[in-house]
Each structure stands twice: as C-alpha cells, then as structure tokens.
Amino acid sequence: MTNPDEKIDVFSEARKIWTPPEEVRLRAWVSDYESVYQKAVADPEAFWSGIASELDWFQPWTQVLEWRYPWAKWFLGARCNITYNCLDRHVKTWRRNKVALLWVGEDGSSQVLTYGELHRQVCRFASGLKTLGIKKGDRVMIYMPRIPQQFVAMLAVARVGAIHSVVYSGFSALALRERIEDAEAKLVVTADVGFQRGKSIQLKAVVDEAVEGAPSVQHVVVVRRQSPPIEIFGPRERDWDALLKQSSAICEAESMDSEDPLYTLYTSGTTGRPKGVLHVHGGYMVGTYITTKWVFDLKDEDVYFCTADPGWVTGHSYIVYGPLLNGATILFAEGAPDYPDPGRWWKLIEQHGVTIFYTTPTAIRSLMRYGDEWPASHDLSSLRILGTVGEPINPEAWLWYHRVTGERCPIMDTWWQTETGMTMITPLPGVPLKPGSATRPFPGIVADVLDKDGKPMPPNKGGSLVIKTPWPSMLRTVYKDPDRYEQYWRSIPNVYTAGDVAYRDDDGYFWILGRSDDVLKVSGYRLGTAEVESAIVSHAAVAEAAAIGKPDPLKGEAIKVFVILKQGYTPGSELREEIKAHVRHTLGPIAVPSELEFTTSLPKTRSGKIMRRVLKAKELGLETGDTSTLEE
Ligand code: WTA
C-alpha cells in the first residue's frame, strides 16, 4: 500500500494541459471558478445557505452550521424532505410531463417515466410501505437490480421518513444478512432476477437465504419480472405490483428535520465489518443538488447518463438524488458495457442523444481494449460533458476517452467518497484540465495534503489528502458506531482524513495516488482487506490469510491473497479453486481474488498484526521500507 509517512517523492513531469473551448466555459453555470471559489471560502455559511435557498423547505433554518468538533449539523431548525425536492417541486411546474427516467433493461425492455408518473409511483409505494407498518426511522434494505422500481423504492422509503440501505446486488446472501442484522431492517425490497451478460441472477433466492433467521425482517416485497411469475410464499412476502395497486397515490412527504437520517450505505473500512455511513436529508440534498448542477453543467435539455449502480454511493448521489433534485432526464441502463457487444453504451448514447456521460476508469479501460471501431461506429456528437469516478484515471485512458468522443468534451475527473456524499475535488466544465488530475476543490471545500503530524506538504510531495472544514453532505456518523466516525477527524487532529494519498502540483492541482490504508479499489468497487481475509479464514482449511491489492492494467487493483493452511491440508489447485468459490459465496463475485498463493508464514509485527505493506512491496519488487517492527 502507498504509505504517506514515507513522503514519497513524486516527479512533477511536464503535464499536458487541455483547455475546454471558450463556449463551454461561457455556457456553464459557473464560468469563473476562481472568483466563486474565493467567495465561498471567504464566507462558507453565506455560500451554502445561498445554494440551499434554491430548494424548497417546509420551514427555514435558524442557523446554517453548528460545528462542535468533530460533529457537524447543517441547516439547524429547518424542515424538509429530499423527495419533495426530487418530485413535488417539479410536478408543480411544466416538468410534470418531462421525462424523468428513460430506462433500458438488458433484455431489451424499456420504460419511460415522467416526473408526474414517477411521483405517483413513489406515492403509491410509500402508501404501501405505511400499510406494512414502515414509519419514520425504520430501516429498509433494498437489494435490487438496476430497474425503475429501485428508484421508486429508495424515494418511497425516504418519503415516509424511513432510512434506506441499498446493498449492491452483487453481494452474497451472507454479506446481505450481515448488513440486515446491523441495520435491524424491518423490510427488504428485492426482485426475482437481475440480468447480467445474458444470464439471470436469482436475487430472490439470495434474499431468502439472507433473511432466514433474521428476526427483524417482517416483510419482503418482490418485483416479479419473469413470466410465469415466481411463486411468493408465506405471510411476510408481498408482490410489488399488488401492493402498488391497492395503495393510494396520495402520500405527502413526511416533514423531516434537516438532520434526520436519509440513508445508511455500508462501505469497507480499514478494519473489521463494513460500516454504515449515515447521510441526512438536509445537507446531503444541498450538496448533491449543487454538485450535479455545476460539475455536469446540468440543464433542462440534457440527457444525463451515469453508468453506476445505485448499490454504490455514485448511484445514490449521481443517478438518483442529484439529477432528480435538478429535474434532469436520466438514462438508466441495466447490464454490462460490453454485452451484447462492446458498442452497448455508445449505442445508447446515440439512440437517446445523451449529452452528459459519467462512468468509471475501469469501464473506460475495458472499452479501450475493444478498440476505436466501437465508438467510431456511433454518432456521439450529442455529448458535451464527460465524467469519471471511483479510482484514479491513468492519462492514457483519459486521452482515449477524450479522443473517441470527439475531443470537444471536458472530462470531469471527480474525486469523492461514500463518506463525503458529494464530489469534493473536481473540475468544473470551463477549467483547464490535466489528464489524470481531479484538479481543484469544489467551491466551499477546503482540501490540503498533510504529513502525519498535520503539517502541509510542499508541492509535488505525497501526503494524506484531508478536508479542513465541514461541508453539508458529509457523513454525520457511522451507524451505531460513533467512535468510528470520530476517527475520520482525529487521525490527524482537526481535519477529515480521507485515507487517500495525494500530492498537489505547482498549479495547486490535486493528483490522487491511491489509498493509504487497507481499502482496496477493485474495478472502482470498494472492499476491505479485512473483509476478504475474514471470508477466506472462514474456510475450514485456512489458518491465516493476508490480502493485498496489486496494480492491474484493467481493474486498477486486483486482489492477491496469501494463505496459510491448517495442519493436515495440502496446497493444490483444487483447494485454491474451492477457497475462491468460498469467497464468492461469502462475500460475492466482486471479492474473489485473482491470485491465491499458499505460504507458510506471513510478515507480522510483534503485536501480531500482518504487515501487508511488506507483502505488497515484496510482491511488486519494491523497497520494503521501515521493517523495524517486523517480528516474523
Ligand atoms: C477513490 C466512490 C482517484 C479514492 C465515489 C476514494 C478516486 C475512494 C476518485 C472512495 C478519483 C474516488 N480519482 N481516486 N476521481 N474517486 N476515488 O467510497 O480512493 O466507493 O477514497 O466512493 O475511491 O470510494 P467510494
């Protein structure tokens, strides 16, 4: 892993700068980044309250920010509901008949929902939730494929004031159960199947296994896509369509305190179990609203396509909430980028006249491998703004993305995290870009690169990426674990430590180098070494395991594990495959290691902690750094 303590020197090679055409800058909501940034820094409360005033509140705030280190509250005393701003605010205007959602399924099916229709469906499902006894503060798990009902479920839960927790449908039953148990969820919403590369994934079966013996779960609501429909059993299961049909289309949004929880999203940290990062209605709404608007220069005439999955934070902030808060037309697609062929996304862009396209470096690299002919055979002239997220983008992939889309569109390389809720270091459409750099902080965000004692690093020297002041959409806590929340602000006192290593160049541009902790980024998906290891040691043959991330030209990082077997077991390819299958079952396909090496010892500190840093350095043929604490 990259260690900020080692003060890595970074060569500041001459970087190529690409300045977007002048008309891009002039057309953008923000055409003068510098002055907007300076104004926001000079008076952050005035800046954020000005933005909040663009939205509808049931009752205004009496105070913008209360900062009692390390705890923040925003828009104190205000009442609101994020779904009111996503739906009701638009249906009161001409946008009532504007397309909200253009959905395409992998099997070729499609659906178009206007704001009016989406509003009605959300109200119906929200009424249905009430009949199932769901009320303010209850937790609802959503384990669904990328279908319109996933939008509806999230919004309906938030509308009644309950807390949603979306679990990516690539996670296993055991991973889902762990999250259900932590959340003490009363309800699980799912679907019979999801489609991925022509195969149907049996989601309901996963839920059946996950809720078995989970006493908190009172109901399971199932969207049935297949015909003939799968059977629904038992008193606690409900059919989505039937529930909607029998429920009222009138359901006012619950009036929430701006600090009331909106959702928890489980994400991997350095140690142990995944943590439930908690976001609230008010501040999260303000942060996602303005970043979507400014970063993507979102306008009413745009068709916005983000390829993420709502199982991850990008889907929450930049498929569902941010775009809906702006009244956008959202293209939402199920399936993989290369199925049935690698032209899928380019074709969707052409077919629907997509103007804003937001995806991941891994996806770009995989499409790049298939060659230029796929993008070249589609008319991509509707595109005007591009984005990437989730992991550093290598300049080669950046330049390819830029070239095949016509060399007109600025690329918004957005750095942020589940915890930050919104994009934090990101270009705005008019600013000069350097391929591979996330450029500079969003207005209102104060970022820096520090050493471990909190001293600023000089330009071109790597250190810890930190945020120095609170922002509205920051996580408010880790669900049921306030100590873990406090660690973010205490590992370097007074600042939020992101867990990333970065440096700033002479122009103040940020370059993100990767994680400094034991978090892996595999295809942009976030996983903890601890989770992978605990899945592996739960196999009967395994005594100990250590997981590291290795640079991978496609996935960014690939998982390699070192395994010590219990006595009586012999290493072999059969056992290797069996352990991999076990990880698939315990955590899910995304966590399966690409390499598994049997070993007889692992480098450890005197206190018994595995030194993954040493393993990684050896694996990559690098210096092992300080090994004075190494025991074995
Ligand atoms: C990484 C995803 C470089 C980073 C929104 C961060 C990035 C982690 C970028 C959060 C980027 C995200 N450039 N690295 N543009 N965006 N990351 O919580 O390591 O799934 O800490 O949120 O992704 O991952 P998470």
Side-chain angles (χ1 to χ4, degrees):
M1 88 213 60
T2 333
N3 190 343
D5 303 353
E6 287 166 5
K7 301 204 176 92
I8 0 158
D9 260 318
V10 182
F11 299 108
S12 86
E13 47 176 299
R15 303 280 185 182
K16 204 174 143 194
I17 297 182
W18 185 77
T19 306
E22 186 64 355
E23 62 265 24
V24 171
R25 189 179 66 80
L26 292 177
R27 180 187 165 158
W29 287 112
V30 176
S31 56
D32 183 1
Y33 166 81
E34 223 62 63
S35 75
V36 174
Y37 188 84
Q38 291 312 331
K39 226 174 122 191
V41 170
D43 191 349
E45 294 191 22
F47 172 73
W48 288 115
S49 67
I51 287 163
S53 307
E54 294 182 21
L55 296 163
D56 287 355
W57 301 75
F58 303 143
Q59 189 179 300
W61 51 95
T62 50
Q63 189 182 338
V64 180
L65 168 66
E66 179 194 274
W67 178 226
R68 293 199 182 139
Y69 171 76
W71 301 94
K73 288 182 179 167
W74 285 86
F75 309 111
L76 287 86
R79 302 204 68 88
C80 62
N81 186 305
I82 195 169
T83 72
Y84 186 90
N85 278 289
C86 288
L87 301 167
D88 306 55
R89 194 164 77 93
H90 307 309
V91 298
K92 288 191 291 188
T93 70
W94 66 270
R95 287 200 189 114
R96 164 213 266 283
N97 293 320
K98 178 179 175 177
V99 172
L101 206 60
L102 267 167
W103 175 77
V104 278
E106 201 196 66
D107 61 355
S109 48
S110 65
Q111 206 178 321
V112 177
L113 286 177
T114 62
Y115 272 89
E117 285 162 332
L118 183 61
H119 177 252
R120 275 192 296 281
Q121 283 204 21
V122 169
C123 288
R124 277 195 196 280
F125 192 59
S127 303
L129 288 173
K130 287 184 178 172
T131 64
L132 297 178
I134 299 298
K135 49 183 196 321
K136 187 172 169 178
D138 286 342
R139 275 81 55 211
V140 176
M141 233 67 194
I142 298 178
Y143 184 78
M144 298 177 87
R146 289 205 292 272
I147 53 176
Q149 291 89 337
Q150 192 182 29
F151 261 69
V152 175
M154 289 168 75
L155 293 163
V157 170
R159 192 164 182 88
V160 302
I163 304 168
H164 60 69
S165 192
V166 182
V167 176
Y168 175 59
S169 58
F171 275 115
S172 71
L174 293 175
L176 175 60
R177 181 185 300 166
E178 188 179 37
R179 288 155 175 79
I180 290 174
E181 281 171 355
D182 187 71
E184 296 165 83
K186 261 172 108 171
L187 174 74
V188 181
V189 187
T190 189
D192 51 0
V193 289
F195 296 113
Q196 180 83 352
R197 293 199 169 84
K199 280 196 285 213
S200 56
I201 322 275
Q202 302 296 320
L203 301 178
K204 170 67 168 36
V206 175
V207 171
D208 288 345
E209 194 184 332
V211 300
E212 197 167 311
S216 65
V217 177
Q218 296 172 359
H219 295 286
V220 175
V221 176
V222 189
V223 176
R224 291 189 288 181
R225 311 174 71 185
Q226 286 181 313
S227 64
I230 58 162
E231 264 187 72
I232 292 207
F233 319 89
R236 71 173 172 184
E237 297 193 349
R238 292 283 186 285
D239 172 61
W240 172 283
D241 287 336
L243 186 65
L244 238 65
K245 210 174 281 168
Q246 74 200 39
S247 304
S248 164
I250 295 164
C251 181
E252 294 299 327
E254 185 77 22
S255 168
M256 307 295 283
D257 186 279
S258 55
E259 284 292 312
D260 277 334
L262 167 64
Y263 70 79
T264 60
L265 184 58
Y266 286 86
T267 191
S268 304
T270 311
T271 49
R273 295 151 70 95
K275 43 192 171 185
V277 167
L278 187 137
H279 286 291
V280 298
H281 273 258
Y284 179 80
M285 167 170 89
V286 173
T288 53
Y289 161 72
I290 199 61
T291 47
T292 313
K293 177 169 168 175
W294 284 2
V295 173
F296 300 109
D297 188 34
L298 192 56
K299 305 272 164 61
D300 262 316
E301 56 275 28
D302 280 309
V303 177
Y304 171 93
F305 181 20
C306 169
T307 64
D309 189 291
W312 305 95
V313 74
T314 305
H316 284 63
S317 298
Y318 298 110
I319 295 186
V320 180
Y321 290 113
L324 290 177
L325 286 166
N326 282 281
T329 294
I330 304 158
L331 175 64
F332 186 44
E334 186 184 33
D338 55 358
Y339 184 87
D341 63 51
R344 172 124 203 276
W345 285 352
W346 308 123
K347 188 172 167 192
L348 287 174
I349 291 169
E350 176 174 6
Q351 271 177 344
H352 299 282
V354 170
T355 54
I356 301 168
F357 181 55
Y358 191 27
T359 190
T360 63
T362 291
I364 295 164
R365 286 190 293 263
S366 78
L367 293 174
M368 191 166 113
R369 286 193 167 183
Y370 291 112
D372 288 20
E373 62 268 31
W374 294 100
S377 62
H378 293 281
D379 176 4
L380 305 178
S381 59
S382 58
L383 287 172
R384 63 181 194 94
I385 308 275
L386 305 171
T388 71
V389 61
E391 44 178 329
I393 180 163
N394 46 314
E396 193 196 354
W398 194 104
L399 291 167
W400 183 82
Y401 190 27
H402 188 59
R403 181 165 56 75
V404 299
T405 49
E407 282 179 345
R408 294 166 282 113
C409 312
I411 300 175
M412 307 295 113
D413 175 353
T414 62
W415 176 88
W416 58 295
Q417 308 178 294
T418 306
E419 292 87 341
T420 69
M422 63 175 228
T423 56
M424 302 291 281
I425 300 180
T426 173
L428 295 181
V431 309
L433 302 174
K434 302 186 190 187
S437 167
T439 74
R440 286 179 294 170
F442 189 81
I445 300 304
V446 185
D448 207 344
V449 177
L450 306 181
D451 70 10
K452 67 174 188 322
D453 303 318
K455 284 206 284 302
M457 297 301 292
N460 305 311
K461 294 264 189 191
S464 288
L465 177 61
V466 303
I467 309 296
K468 295 169 93 167
T469 53
W471 64 100
S473 70
M474 61 192 261
L475 79 162
R476 293 304 192 270
T477 191
V478 172
Y479 191 62
K480 299 202 288 203
D481 199 349
D483 290 347
R484 259 177 118 175
Y485 168 78
E486 295 209 4
Q487 281 164 24
Y488 287 102
W489 287 91
R490 297 216 192 273
S491 67
I492 300 177
N494 299 312
V495 298
Y496 170 88
T497 303
D500 280 344
V501 182
Y503 72 96
R504 247 184 325 186
D505 68 15
D506 296 316
D507 298 326
Y509 276 48
F510 285 79
W511 297 79
I512 317 291
L513 301 172
R515 300 289 306 190
S516 60
D517 55 13
D518 291 325
V519 169
L520 304 169
K521 272 291 188 165
V522 181
S523 303
Y525 295 141
R526 184 164 158 180
L527 290 167
T529 51
E531 281 168 281
V532 177
E533 289 163 7
S534 84
I536 290 180
V537 296
S538 70
H539 186 281
V542 177
E544 283 185 85
I548 59 165
K550 276 178 80 170
D552 181 275
L554 185 65
K555 298 177 181 176
E557 266 192 313
I559 305 174
K560 166 147 192 184
V561 291
F562 297 87
V563 172
I564 302 181
L565 292 177
K566 286 184 187 155
Q567 280 197 337
Y569 290 93
T570 356
S573 56
E574 207 170 300
L575 187 54
R576 180 179 292 120
E577 290 318 307
E578 198 187 302
I579 296 172
K580 284 188 183 177
H582 179 74
V583 175
R584 178 182 294 268
H585 178 70
T586 320
L587 260 179
I590 51 167
V592 176
S594 10
E595 279 183 66
L596 192 157
E597 185 178 316
F598 293 109
T599 178
T600 49
S601 73
L602 290 168
K604 284 189 194 152
T605 61
R606 270 171 215 123
S607 57
K609 239 183 107 192
I610 296 170
M611 293 181 84
R612 297 184 192 81
R613 181 165 60 83
V614 173
L615 278 173
K616 185 159 175 171
K618 269 178 95 175
E619 184 69 25
L620 304 180
L622 303 170
E623 293 281 319
T624 41
D626 177 15
T627 51
S628 54
T629 52
L630 187 68
E631 176 78 3
E632 279 182 45

